[in-house]
Amino acid sequence: MKSQVVTFLIKCPDQKGLVAKITSFFFEKGFNILSCQQYVNSIEDKYFMRIRLNADGTEISKKELEENFMELAEPLQFKWSVNYGDKKQNVAIMVSHTSHNLYDLLERHREGSLVCNIKMIISNHDKLRPIADMFGIPYHYLPVTKSTKQEQESQVINLLDANEIDLIIMARYMQILSSNFINHYPDKIINIHHSFLPAFQGANPYKRAYDRGVKLIGATAHYATEDLDEGPIIEQDVEPVTHESTLKTLKRIGADIERLVLARAVKSHLQNQIIVSGNKAIVFPEAGE
Amino acid sequence: MKSQVVTFLIKCPDQKGLVAKITSFFFEKGFNILSCQQYVNSIEDKYFMRIRLNADGTEISKKELEENFMELAEPLQFKWSVNYGDKKQNVAIMVSHTSHNLYDLLERHREGSLVCNIKMIISNHDKLRPIADMFGIPYHYLPVTKSTKQEQESQVINLLDANEIDLIIMARYMQILSSNFINHYPDKIINIHHSFLPAFQGANPYKRAYDRGVKLIGATAHYATEDLDEGPIIEQDVEPVTHESTLKTLKRIGADIERLVLARAVKSHLQNQIIVSGNKAIVFPEAGE
Amino acid sequence: MKSQVVTFLIKCPDQKGLVAKITSFFFEKGFNILSCQQYVNSIEDKYFMRIRLNADGTEISKKELEENFMELAEPLQFKWSVNYGDKKQNVAIMVSHTSHNLYDLLERHREGSLVCNIKMIISNHDKLRPIADMFGIPYHYLPVTKSTKQEQESQVINLLDANEIDLIIMARYMQILSSNFINHYPDKIINIHHSFLPAFQGANPYKRAYDRGVKLIGATAHYATEDLDEGPIIEQDVEPVTHESTLKTLKRIGADIERLVLARAVKSHLQNQIIVSGNKAIVFPEAGE
Amino acid sequence: MKSQVVTFLIKCPDQKGLVAKITSFFFEKGFNILSCQQYVNSIEDKYFMRIRLNADGTEISKKELEENFMELAEPLQFKWSVNYGDKKQNVAIMVSHTSHNLYDLLERHREGSLVCNIKMIISNHDKLRPIADMFGIPYHYLPVTKSTKQEQESQVINLLDANEIDLIIMARYMQILSSNFINHYPDKIINIHHSFLPAFQGANPYKRAYDRGVKLIGATAHYATEDLDEGPIIEQDVEPVTHESTLKTLKRIGADIERLVLARAVKSHLQNQIIVSGNKAIVFPEAGE
């Protein structure tokens, strides 16, 4: 594990001594603790930790580390995951007609600010194929009709699973996914909704924002769950608008918010900054990384 | 009208030549046009103007000006109002338990940034009387129960009308006003709602924001209409929050947003910057004033 | 001029009756006034107007319109320009090593939110050629050394003039341009500076921001003038940072600000929203366009 | 120490095992760790920790705790402080002519969001005494001229020391303090500067912002150090302005920023969230408190 940054994400019932026990465990194994972030939800008595380790001072194997950690984790009822930083995550992007989020993600990936393998773009339309071609990413056109919806989803699942996809980004994919699909990828689907949720859930949020005469519009990135637009919120932002802002203006300003919000959410996910708890996302800030 | 800033607010069906006709009218009467702001809603074919005039170059009387203006206004179907800037507006503030908006408005008034006469504070509780006393504003304690609601509203209306109140500010007044009351003061009641409307309409918005796990919280100032929290939005703002933010933190951060949002909305109203059209508020920006 | 949006930008000494005279002129010629925005600088006694016209109701030719307008303009000392909306502006982008602004501009152009002809990319390095190729834009590699600086600038000027370039965007072009070059293109060069000017003028702004321990970083788009980073500011924005933000983090967050700020400034320029007056840029907001 | 929240602030050279050693120390003494925030500056090899403890599970005395902690702290070269949460900090506010920050601080104190004892207001003018009277705070008028500057500062120091003042807030106190004064209260004087530092250091920042034509104005709260406006920055914020914004408008918008920025900085200081390191302030966010 030399020169790697190992990240553990832990959630468990709150109890005395957790931070001492966990940090002592890693210290005794020879790790240097790069950062240690915790959050205590004192209403629900839950404890959350994100701890990043430098493995340079230890000879321990992954297997041994995990076996040893299990001995700590079980009596304290940890739910935990570990990322060894030695393998980029595999990502699939799903789109329909709208291109700005797709462009933005591909550009950030190309520039090195989103570290992952973008393995494929999947769309129910053929429209955005030229962008995939520009960036040299495989494009899968899988059209969907009411009668073929279930079959199309099966095709998508097959593609995702065959490519060992770790994260699915719905970058303005305008189809409602079935519960079956969603539950196949828990906390692994990030959706961008083009409103400041919970305002304007569902269809046509910009039109409804225009009709309501709001003075700010927003966007929300969240994990997709069975309840449409109800999943854990990762990131939100807004921009001011005025009475002069036409629907077209709202969409243009909104596109800029969508870009930033989705990119930030994806980055937080790829950097193992997020722990989901119920319908909330605990998003630890970057810690000098 | 010497040395006065006269402000006309005009709305009418859109048609060719409006700005030329209106500005020529005032130019010919000898006014200097300080600023002329317009907005064309091309979907609804409506035209809106806010025009500020310096009266130094004219001897015309108010009566003559208005009679002359009528001749222009009628064929073009203007709905219009004029403010001669020679009389501060009379304001009443309604509160319940929460004091931060009240303090803020009184301080801004004291410092000269809200130019008006704060004639009275009306409350259904006696709790905030000491603040009224600090600032030397009359405080009317008019308690309300289910059975006395109608009677209490009548008392409030009597107070407001006896004092020729031009603007009613509901600075966290936690009673739902009857349609009768609302319709008595069209476009003259400004309410602060402690959420980013239309999210979290109704009761306990901070609690619901906490439960939903939003990453931004907001506040909205709007004109009160019969439909609760559905009136024309004047001003909105938000601040970021995190998973660490407790309900208490949300309320504290929210209080800062509420202060700014309500103060800005009141200032825009007092400076005759707002024209209401349907359920929307056209808020012209300050024009060098 | 059928179906065109004609935009006049006017600046002149402030005087009574300007808006009436100008709007009456266009009304009498048969134009419909889509929007009329003005700004009076009462300290300097200067008047500024941006007026957008729909030409559908008039048969007047450009030549006749301009000749007639001259009769109004001369006695009132107008400095003015007109854009007939019938020809996209020609744009050149100058870059060095950094690609995020280039990607962003090309993407917005491709998506239709920046309406112009991007005729060429000019660089003192060959590094970003692949991006030009992706988007099918000619790329001119014109290296520069101390001894060849003057010659290289001549080559750039030749290229720009041969292609009738209307706007030069310095999208992180890291060479200081000579006064000769700058004065060749007055109010036609937009530069992005990666700080919140006037803080951190000159080199290495992110490093200096890091060293100073600021809690916000920013970016500024401005017209290039002889005094480095002193030109009229068009657009600025900031984002919060913390003590945890490394220099790398500042650069990454900064890149997002640079993208938005430069794109907004370019859009405002292309839409004829800007009048330069001394070292300030008057940027009229979009008016329902 | 029952029911108290004890906060330790620690800085030391970075080294392996720090978090494990520190948290184990407190765990073994019987404390419950409410939050544990750390920051590693890997460029300067420095380590910083803020740790909040609940003392309910321990019988240890303050004296014993500190003696024991010294044994840990010395070999690891800690610089540290502890706050037992059992005594409100004593605060003095220094002002000159401008009242908005004073009002704001007094109101927040009154409402309970700034938890401290405001022991006195000191001013070189008598102008703001009525505000002190409204809120029932002693007001000390200590005028200053060039020749009496040193003497006046001695009077101020005597007042502050006689009242055991822990924090001095310069809420628009428009006198430059001597090095002698500043060094008497290291990291204990918070100043509000009415610009986005390092832009517009020194006098008349709003005038200079107006002259420069910036599109955002800001405010900065920082610890006062010998170099004017060069001290560690605690908090900064900005608001957009336009070409329409007059100097008066900048001051009014700026006052709102100053209020928020100073109040947030004071709150962070009072809640022991800040560690100063060189010319930077490490400001830990609230941790569920």
Side-chain angles (χ1 to χ4, degrees), chain B residues 10-201:
Chain B
I10 301 164
K11 62 179 165 181
C12 63
D14 192 23
Q15 52 207 294
K16 235 171 158 169
L18 282 169
V19 60
K21 285 174 189 165
I22 300 169
T23 56
S24 297
F25 172 86
F26 290 115
F27 175 55
E28 283 156 19
K29 298 286 175 255
F31 287 95
N32 186 23
I33 296 173
L34 297 172
S35 67
C36 168
Q37 298 164 286
Q38 48 175 352
Y39 163 57
V40 179
N41 184 322
S42 55
I43 293 170
E44 300 177 10
D45 268 324
K46 286 185 188 162
Y47 180 89
F48 304 86
M49 180 184 276
R50 175 185 186 238
I51 187 163
R52 290 165 58 251
L53 312 160
N54 180 309
D56 278 356
T58 177
E59 300 292 332
I60 199 168
S61 70
K62 290 180 187 179
K63 185 161 173 285
E64 197 186 338
L65 174 64
E66 294 182 22
E67 280 171 4
N68 283 206
F69 190 72
M70 285 294 273
E71 287 168 34
L72 178 72
E74 269 182 28
L76 297 169
Q77 300 179 59
F78 289 2
K79 293 189 180 181
W80 61 279
S81 64
V82 57
N83 182 296
Y84 291 99
D86 52 355
K87 189 179 143 307
K88 288 184 191 171
Q89 293 188 47
N90 292 330
V91 170
I93 302 176
M94 297 182 75
V95 293
S96 292
H97 293 289
T98 309
S99 61
H100 56 262
N101 280 114
L102 179 61
Y103 263 123
D104 186 72
L105 293 168
L106 296 178
E107 179 204 323
R108 288 171 192 272
H109 176 250
R110 178 73 70 102
E111 295 213 310
S113 73
L114 282 187
V115 181
C116 61
N117 298 315
I118 298 184
K119 300 280 277 190
M120 66 181 69
I121 297 161
I122 300 171
S123 181
N124 56 330
H125 296 277
D126 209 31
K127 184 180 160 196
L128 302 185
R129 185 186 294 277
I131 302 174
D133 291 347
M134 271 175 72
F135 286 85
I137 311 284
Y139 189 88
H140 299 275
Y141 167 40
L142 296 173
V144 57
T145 62
K146 229 170 199 175
S147 61
T148 64
K149 188 172 178 69
Q150 207 177 336
E151 195 192 315
Q152 191 250 19
E153 278 198 359
S154 298
Q155 290 175 300
V156 175
I157 289 174
N158 289 342
L159 260 177
L160 297 174
D161 291 353
N163 285 274
E164 297 181 320
I165 295 301
D166 299 298
L167 173 65
I168 303 153
I169 305 172
M170 293 174 61
R172 302 290 306 264
Y173 183 67
M174 304 311 276
Q175 289 287 320
I176 294 173
L177 298 170
S178 71
S179 298
N180 174 52
F181 187 97
I182 298 284
N183 293 328
H184 215 76
Y185 305 102
D187 307 340
K188 298 201 163 187
I189 307 172
I190 295 179
N191 183 45
I192 179 77
H193 185 76
H194 38 315
S195 83
F196 178 77
L197 289 175
F200 309 122
Q201 292 193 358

Side-chain angles (χ1 to χ4, degrees), chain A residues 99-100 103 107-108 110-111 134-135 239 244 246 249 252 256 259-260 264 267 286-289, chain C residues 99-100 103 107-108 110-111 134-135 239 244 246 249 252 256 259-260 267 286-289:
Chain A
S99 61
H100 56 263
Y103 264 123
E107 180 204 322
R108 287 172 194 272
R110 178 74 69 101
E111 296 212 310
M134 273 175 71
F135 286 85
E239 285 287 335
E244 285 282 10
T246 59
T249 308
R252 197 196 68 235
D256 281 339
R259 268 188 274 248
L260 282 175
R264 287 176 189 153
K267 188 170 177 59
E286 281 193 307
E289 54 218 87
Chain C
S99 61
H100 56 263
Y103 263 123
E107 180 204 321
R108 288 172 193 273
R110 178 74 70 101
E111 296 212 311
M134 272 175 70
F135 285 85
E239 285 288 335
E244 285 281 11
T246 60
T249 307
R252 196 195 69 233
D256 281 339
R259 267 187 274 248
L260 281 176
K267 187 171 177 61
E286 281 193 306
E289 54 217 88

Side-chain angles (χ1 to χ4, degrees), chain D residues 235-250:
Chain D
E235 183 86 27
Q236 302 189 288
D237 211 342
V238 296
E239 284 288 333
V241 296
T242 75
H243 59 269
E244 285 281 12
S245 305
T246 60
L247 181 53
K248 195 181 139 201
T249 308
L250 296 194

Side-chain angles (χ1 to χ4, degrees), chain C residues 45-107:
Chain C
D45 268 325
K46 286 186 189 160
Y47 179 89
F48 305 85
M49 180 185 275
R50 176 186 187 238
I51 186 162
R52 289 163 60 249
L53 311 161
N54 181 310
D56 278 356
T58 177
E59 299 293 331
I60 200 168
S61 71
K62 290 179 186 179
K63 186 161 174 283
E64 197 185 340
L65 174 64
E66 293 183 21
E67 280 171 4
N68 283 205
F69 190 71
M70 284 295 272
E71 288 167 34
L72 177 72
E74 267 180 30
L76 298 169
Q77 301 179 58
F78 289 2
K79 294 190 181 180
W80 61 280
S81 64
V82 58
N83 181 296
Y84 291 100
D86 53 354
K87 189 180 142 311
K88 288 183 191 170
Q89 293 188 48
N90 292 331
V91 170
I93 303 176
M94 298 183 74
V95 292
S96 292
H97 293 290
T98 310
S99 61
H100 56 263
N101 280 114
L102 179 61
Y103 263 123
D104 187 71
L105 293 169
L106 296 179
E107 180 204 321

Side-chain angles (χ1 to χ4, degrees), chain C residues 106-260:
Chain C
L106 296 179
E107 180 204 321
R108 288 172 193 273
H109 176 250
R110 178 74 70 101
E111 296 212 311
S113 73
L114 283 187
V115 180
C116 60
N117 298 316
I118 299 184
K119 300 278 279 189
M120 67 182 68
I121 296 160
I122 299 171
S123 182
N124 56 331
H125 296 278
D126 209 31
K127 186 180 160 193
L128 303 185
R129 187 185 293 277
I131 302 174
D133 292 347
M134 272 175 70
F135 285 85
I137 310 284
Y139 189 88
H140 299 275
Y141 166 41
L142 297 173
V144 58
T145 63
K146 231 173 196 170
S147 62
T148 64
K149 188 174 178 69
Q150 208 177 337
E151 196 194 314
Q152 192 249 19
E153 278 198 357
S154 298
Q155 290 176 299
V156 175
I157 289 175
N158 289 343
L159 260 176
L160 297 174
D161 291 353
N163 285 276
E164 298 182 316
I165 295 301
D166 299 299
L167 173 64
I168 302 154
I169 305 172
M170 293 174 61
R172 299 291 304 265
Y173 182 68
M174 304 311 276
Q175 289 288 319
I176 294 173
L177 298 171
S178 71
S179 297
N180 175 52
F181 187 97
I182 298 284
N183 293 328
H184 216 76
Y185 305 102
D187 306 341
K188 297 201 163 188
I189 307 172
I190 295 179
N191 182 45
I192 180 77
H193 184 76
H194 38 313
S195 84
F196 178 76
L197 288 176
F200 310 122
Q201 292 193 359
N204 295 322
Y206 290 129
K207 177 67 170 61
R208 287 151 66 205
Y210 177 82
D211 289 342
R212 181 62 187 91
V214 294
K215 300 299 188 192
L216 293 171
I217 56 165
T220 304
H222 63 94
Y223 286 110
T225 54
E226 286 192 58
D227 297 312
L228 187 68
D229 302 334
E230 293 277 6
I233 293 171
I234 304 168
E235 184 85 27
Q236 302 188 288
D237 212 342
V238 295
E239 285 288 335
V241 295
T242 75
H243 58 270
E244 285 281 11
S245 305
T246 60
L247 181 52
K248 197 181 136 200
T249 307
L250 296 194
K251 287 180 179 174
R252 196 195 69 233
I253 294 173
D256 281 339
I257 315 172
E258 292 170 44
R259 267 187 274 248
L260 281 176

